[in-house]
Amino acid sequence: MKLLLVEDEPALLASVVSYLQAQHYICEVATNYAQAQEKMLLHDYECIVLDLTLPGGDGLDLLRELQKHQKAAGVIITSARAAVDDRITGLELGADDYLPKPFYLPELSARIAALVRRRHYQGTNLLQAGELNVDVPARRAAVAGKPLTLTRTEFDLLLLLLANQGRVITKGAIAEHLSGDAAEQFDTFENVYAHVKNLKRKLTEAGAPNYIRMVYGLGYRFEPN
Amino acid sequence: MKLLARTTVYFLIYASVVAGAGTFVYYGFIRKIYYAYVDRTLSRRKLRVDKALRLHLRTPADLDFWHRLDHNVEFKALKRGGGAPVFSVRMMYNELTGNVTPYRQLAAPVMFQGRPYRLELRTTMLDSQELLARIVQAGALLFGALLVGLLVLQHVLARRLWAPFYRTLGELQRYKIDQPEPVHLAPTRIPEFKELNMALGRLLNRNQRIYRRQREFTENAAHELQTPLAILRTKLDMLVQAPGLTEEQAGHIEPLLDVTQRLTHLSRSLLLLAHLDQQLFFPTETVDLAAAIRTQLGHLREQLAATNLRLETDLLPALPLAANRSLIDILVSNLLSNAIRHNVPGGEVRVQLTPELLVVENTGRPRALPADQLFVRFRPGPERPPGSVGLGLAIARQICETYGFLLSYHYEEPGRHQLRVRLG
């Protein structure tokens, strides 16, 4: 699956590329407006991760260009400009998602996964990991055919874990994924502990092996194998 | 009392004093001139009488005859001569009017055929007194007319002259430092007001400029922080993936994750405040406040449990508002987090929602907090718990202002702290 990452900050770009490549995505990069323009018009991508402030131009103009050429790529805007109208303009111009900087890599990965799923498997969208089967549009999960009753939060948490299999997801990333950026962050991650604990309990009760491991005090890792 | 009324009153007091005293002085002055004139006439007549005594009169019977012809000339025989002429006013019967009227009289000693006489020359002051009264009356009338005219003139002029002042005042009353357009003070030809307007305009626009620059600075600073924070975050995300990560290393990474989290929260809060200050456009939708409260309480359930707090809610089933969903979520979340943060172990959080009022109450220290400092940005002090960036209530208040809500703090004994949002 081919992605185009448009980002002018090399250090940030390097982490994103390295994380997403480990998720088995093929990543191409563009670090300025002209490069991005050329690549996105020449090639087809599953998803374009687009920074709005670029040397040589505004990311929103790239969106307009994409729209004009009727390119079918999904677009996730990542921007340091958190202004509300940027978000609205971006979404109006055909972007599929908006992820303000600074973001967590697992979050970006989950958003890309969700976008790709939405675009490819409309209606039937099944995820499989180990004995776990997840029907994303129906918001249903089952272990070896045995259905799980998950709360909305637990299901969201499961999706985040599934999109980042084998990777460590920090508690902060989970907290932000669950409560959005509106919630005030506490230094304690009671929420995260509680929801992970519940999800783990439900999985093991349904007969799944212990998929979710805590990695020291840092976060969790989902390993289906 | 208004400035115009005050000047008018002072002017009235001054004018009545001048008019009162002035009438007396004026009357006295006219009277003095008139007496001097009458006395001069009498003195001239006396010279004529002296000449007649010398040239035309022969016997004392002539003197009587003269008196009979002219009542205002009278001779009285004296035993001794000498003495000085004396002017006086006396009352006498006037045959023409049949009244007793005042007369001005000159009494002077004269010699006639070697014998001393007292000559009395009189002139009636009937007409002249009336004249005097009329003169004073006319003067008073003139004075009155002048007074009334001046008052009216002053009123009209003041209205007109001070009009630019009142326009400027109105402009100042409407002035808000965060208004987007520059102040426009109406032009005037009066130099003082022109200078006033110029000085004010400079001051206000300068303030606005400084305010805007500071706001932009905050916004830019927060913006500039996002990219380094993004690098920090993603590098940490990569770091925790490292194979063979030891527990010791993890122990070093964890605080880094925490501070990055805090920095992110801080910069986002600053950015949000800057946007709220700028009254940036936040799209309005129909938001159910009751549902927003329930959602946020759900997010905070674990925090409540962890701190052993009892939650008591009394919420309307639904309360739709026209507002921005994220802002309402932030407002509710901040108020609730605040109530949890500043609570005491085993305490209570009470949330009440009526159509007019949202009340978030928490148990806490048994003394009232300084209400004026509560909403200050980065409020320092012992009340601030670790991990709080100190912007939560400032943001809450700014959001309330955006939607015309009124956020206030109330303290009730013993140790119950209330934050009230008056809706609408």
Side-chain angles (χ1 to χ4, degrees), chain A residues 108-125:
Chain A
L108 177 64
S109 170
R111 301 266 184 123
I112 292 172
L115 179 57
V116 170
R117 274 201 311 270
R118 268 210 307 279
R119 299 168 55 78
H120 276 263
Y121 319 97
Q122 282 135 350
T124 56
N125 184 353

Side-chain angles (χ1 to χ4, degrees), chain B residues 399-415:
Chain B
I399 293 174
C400 283
E401 265 175 30
T402 305
Y403 291 116
F405 304 160
L406 193 76
L407 178 63
S408 58
Y409 167 79
H410 302 267
Y411 176 75
E412 269 173 36
E413 288 292 353

Side-chain angles (χ1 to χ4, degrees), chain B residues 132-160:
Chain B
L132 199 67
R134 292 254 181 268
I135 287 174
V136 170
Q137 214 173 18
L141 214 69
L142 199 72
F143 215 95
L146 201 69
L147 193 78
V148 170
L150 271 176
L151 276 178
V152 170
L153 194 69
Q154 194 223 20
H155 196 69
V156 170
L157 278 185
R159 271 282 152 87
R160 276 199 159 178

Side-chain angles (χ1 to χ4, degrees), chain A residues 40-106:
Chain A
M40 68 171 49
L41 294 182
L42 275 179
H43 308 287
D44 287 318
Y45 298 96
E46 286 296 323
C47 174
I48 299 173
V49 178
L50 180 65
D51 184 16
L52 288 188
T53 40
L54 289 170
D58 189 333
L60 289 175
D61 291 335
L62 283 176
L63 270 180
R64 289 191 185 96
E65 200 126 342
L66 266 184
Q67 223 176 19
K68 207 170 70 192
H69 290 85
Q70 302 190 320
K71 282 289 196 179
V75 177
I76 296 176
I77 296 174
T78 62
S79 177
R81 297 202 311 230
V84 186
D85 39 350
D86 263 5
R87 190 184 291 237
I88 295 167
T89 318
L91 296 179
E92 272 172 5
L93 287 173
D96 299 87
D97 208 344
Y98 188 101
L99 187 59
K101 282 183 185 171
F103 49 81
Y104 286 101
L105 289 174

